Amino acid sequence: MDTDDNSSGTITGSDLGQRYRHAGDLTGEAPTRPFAEISITVPWGHISGKWYGPQNVQPILGLHGWQDNAGTFDRLMPLLSPDVAFLAIDLPGHGLSSRLPDGCYYNSVDNLYVIRLIMKQYKWEKVSLVGHSMSSIICFVFAAVFPDKVDMIIGIDALKPHQRPYPSVIRTMETRLDEFLREDERNRSKNEPPSYTYDELIERVYIGTFHSVNKEHCKHLMARNIGKSEKYPDKYFFCRDRRLKFYNYAIGSQELCVEMANRITCPYLFIKAAQSSYFEDKKYYDEVLDVLLKKPNFEYLEVNGSHHVHMNDPEAIIAPVNNFIQRFGPAAAAASRQKAKEAKESKL
């Protein structure tokens, strides 16, 4: 693992070229909270991330939504307890992380492998997860597949794999594969993508989130996803892998989702934004939520806000988030395991 302290907001490291680590690299502002830029080696390249807080303790692993990046947590981080370590990563193809090799398709379930690689790198026996949107779903699936490897989950706004009418699923598979082929060919051409001014990029991010992120906060999502144009001095282009637009989200049937919910055993806080969609027929969401609500360590919170409520209004969720982390996060989980070990040894 390579670590580069970025608390000053300056860019170092020739590997990044004309890339940006946080909004202040473009605007001159200080980071919302000091962080260390890290790089984790993986078989196809590296996973980039922003490590906040102490580096001598296990961090919470933060995962962003579809086509977003580690900047999604920029406004939440200053509100966390200062003794809490948090590692916000860019998933493959997003932000500053390596793209998958040419010809490789992005599948949502592959991110379970990414989590396991990170756990192996740091020698974590268990992981604490915070996920938004697509990654909230990834956390749900990971906790179901590996119930003995998760200390806690905090999910924001998207609960479970979404169900679509089967004709729609088939049609989506057809169109997405054709469009993926086109973008894969564009990647191999090595031509610079279309470029835009800073204000134009902000507008495109704002529209791209369906106005979910307040325009003044779009800079936090934009910075790690863009590079400076070599053709036009005052313009930038999007660097995230264009193949991500055609991600394969298919994870299984509603019956599988219910079974996954039954398998989850870790403490679990789910936060639903009241002004956001359910992304599927609400009956599917309700069925899985009913299973989770029967669990003694599942907590449900509904707050006013859009899909990116953690960016627009982090103050609305920080009290329950901090409380949950204090009770179930890495430090609390480690203390609980140590206490159990000592109790067991005392009986021998």
Side-chain angles (χ1 to χ4, degrees), residues 48-172:
S48 292
K50 304 169 74 173
W51 189 306
Y52 298 88
Q55 294 192 35
N56 60 343
V57 297
Q58 181 174 335
I60 295 166
L61 184 62
L63 307 172
H64 59 78
W66 176 55
Q67 296 198 86
D68 292 347
N69 55 68
T72 195
F73 297 111
D74 279 8
R75 302 199 69 242
L76 190 66
M77 288 301 99
L79 306 179
L80 282 186
S81 297
D83 60 331
V84 171
F86 194 100
L87 172 56
I89 65 164
D90 300 326
L91 291 169
H94 298 77
L96 301 179
S97 289
S98 298
R99 297 176 175 185
L100 295 184
D102 291 341
C104 291
Y105 201 79
Y106 287 93
N107 290 279
S108 182
V109 74
D110 290 347
N111 290 306
L112 275 64
Y113 173 57
V114 172
I115 296 172
R116 294 292 287 122
L117 282 175
I118 294 172
M119 292 177 68
K120 184 176 181 181
Q121 170 79 22
Y122 289 109
K123 298 180 173 61
W124 299 336
E125 293 183 8
K126 294 194 174 188
V127 65
S128 295
L129 298 168
V130 175
H132 169 246
S133 191
M134 175 186 75
S135 285
S136 180
I137 297 171
I138 292 168
C139 293
F140 172 93
V141 176
F142 189 89
V145 175
F146 302 106
D148 61 337
K149 297 187 183 301
V150 185
D151 277 328
M152 62 148 234
I153 300 174
I154 299 176
I156 303 173
D157 204 48
L159 178 64
K160 54 176 282 295
H162 303 141
Q163 301 303 303
R164 300 281 190 267
Y166 290 151
S168 172
V169 171
I170 295 171
R171 176 61 179 160
T172 298

Side-chain angles (χ1 to χ4, degrees), residues 192-236:
E192 183 178 292
S195 57
Y196 309 91
T197 65
Y198 180 89
D199 290 340
E200 288 171 338
L201 284 172
I202 291 291
E203 188 67 25
R204 294 183 78 85
V205 172
Y206 180 60
I207 294 171
T209 67
F210 302 99
H211 304 171
S212 172
V213 182
N214 292 350
K215 192 175 289 189
E216 64 267 29
H217 305 318
C218 288
K219 61 187 178 183
H220 298 294
L221 286 184
M222 184 182 75
R224 293 176 75 88
N225 270 348
I226 66 170
K228 192 166 183 59
S229 171
E230 295 183 359
K231 296 180 178 179
Y232 309 101
D234 298 324
K235 291 188 176 183
Y236 311 84

